[in-house]
Amino acid sequence: MVRKRGISVLAVGGLAMGAFFMSAPTFAQTAIEQGQTLAKSGSGAVLACATCHGAKGEGMAAAGFPYLAGQGASYLDEQLQEFATGARSHPVMAPIAKAMNRSQMQAAAAYYASLAAPFDAKALSGHLDTYPAKDDAGAWLANRGDWSNNIPACIQCHGPGGVGVGEQFPAIAGQPAAYLREQLLAWKQGKRNPGPLNLMGDIAKRMNEAQITAAADYFAGLPQAAKAAKAAKAAAAPAEGAK
């Protein structure tokens, strides 16, 4: 151990490492704060995100604007980069993303990832339509897939209840039906980056438009449908107990 004026180099190194790890949350918090400013106020040519995506990142279903709250930071950052490069097209998002620098993209992504999702993820993930009605195409595709056309169940990647899995598979439950349909058609038509292993591009190309609409409608209404099913089950419980 080398000592200099009574202070060991090892001790100094330990103090430096300690300072680094103590400051890491500060860096993350700073990014979230920067993202919050962008979301609420914008910056120059970067329009305030809340204008389209809501004050709490809850989206605007009536206009077809998706919610961002609770989505993975790396997924959101990647989408902003793709809007900027043209790998994903949108008349509103493309110019905004092109006006953002990398730190702004990362900050906005970190901020929205830090927000609570606009649904009860724990409750929704416990909702499974394991045996949907044969004529309910949306529920069938979401939970069972269409293996005759090599289409896997949506929940295999997006999780039970469509609440998302990890950083790269976003939550789709409760997204506007118009938005979900638009994205599936974009993948089907080759207008959006197909993602890792061409996964979404290949799946969407094997779906017909009726299936696309059915799946979009199913996931858009899933949070409310799951909530209603839970309430119905709770109401039926006392009657069952009385027997």
Side-chain angles (χ1 to χ4, degrees):
M1 184 183 297
V2 181
R3 293 182 176 275
K4 187 175 182 180
R5 295 184 181 179
I7 303 175
S8 71
V9 172
L10 182 60
V12 171
L15 288 170
M17 288 297 290
F20 171 79
F21 286 115
M22 287 176 67
S23 64
T26 303
F27 292 146
Q29 185 60 33
T30 299
I32 289 172
E33 289 172 351
Q34 290 174 344
Q36 183 178 33
T37 299
L38 277 173
K40 291 185 175 181
S41 306
S43 176
V46 180
L47 184 69
C49 312
T51 304
C52 296
H53 296 286
K56 296 181 180 179
E58 73 277 18
M60 292 187 180
F65 295 128
Y67 63 77
L68 307 179
Q71 302 285 25
S74 61
Y75 170 78
L76 293 174
D77 180 38
E78 183 178 288
Q79 300 316 301
L80 285 169
Q81 292 182 68
E82 291 190 357
F83 281 127
T85 62
R88 182 176 176 183
S89 62
H90 192 275
V92 176
M93 281 306 307
I96 292 173
K98 286 176 182 177
M100 298 174 78
N101 58 43
R102 286 294 297 121
S103 64
Q104 287 176 320
M105 290 180 183
Q106 291 165 344
Y111 169 66
Y112 280 110
S114 74
L115 299 179
F119 55 80
D120 186 339
K122 184 177 180 180
L124 192 54
S125 64
H127 177 83
L128 287 174
D129 288 320
T130 309
Y131 301 104
K134 285 284 186 180
D135 60 352
D136 191 340
W140 196 267
L141 279 168
N143 296 279
R144 303 294 293 271
D146 176 9
W147 289 106
S148 62
N149 289 300
N150 203 24
I151 300 172
C154 308
I155 65 169
Q156 287 187 261
C157 290
H158 293 281
V163 299
V165 175
E167 284 282 318
Q168 289 301 321
F169 293 101
I172 53 177
Q175 290 287 23
Y179 170 77
L180 293 173
R181 176 178 163 78
E182 180 183 303
Q183 301 318 304
L184 286 166
L185 286 173
W187 277 310
K188 184 178 180 69
Q189 296 162 4
K191 296 179 180 179
R192 179 174 172 180
N193 186 330
L197 303 176
N198 291 326
L199 187 61
M200 281 309 306
D202 286 344
I203 291 171
K205 285 174 183 176
R206 290 192 288 270
M207 296 174 73
N208 60 44
E209 292 203 20
Q211 288 176 317
I212 285 173
T213 297
D217 288 344
Y218 173 79
F219 279 109
L222 188 54
Q224 287 302 317
K227 188 175 180 180
K230 183 178 179 181
K233 185 177 180 180
E240 288 294 324
K243 293 179 182 178

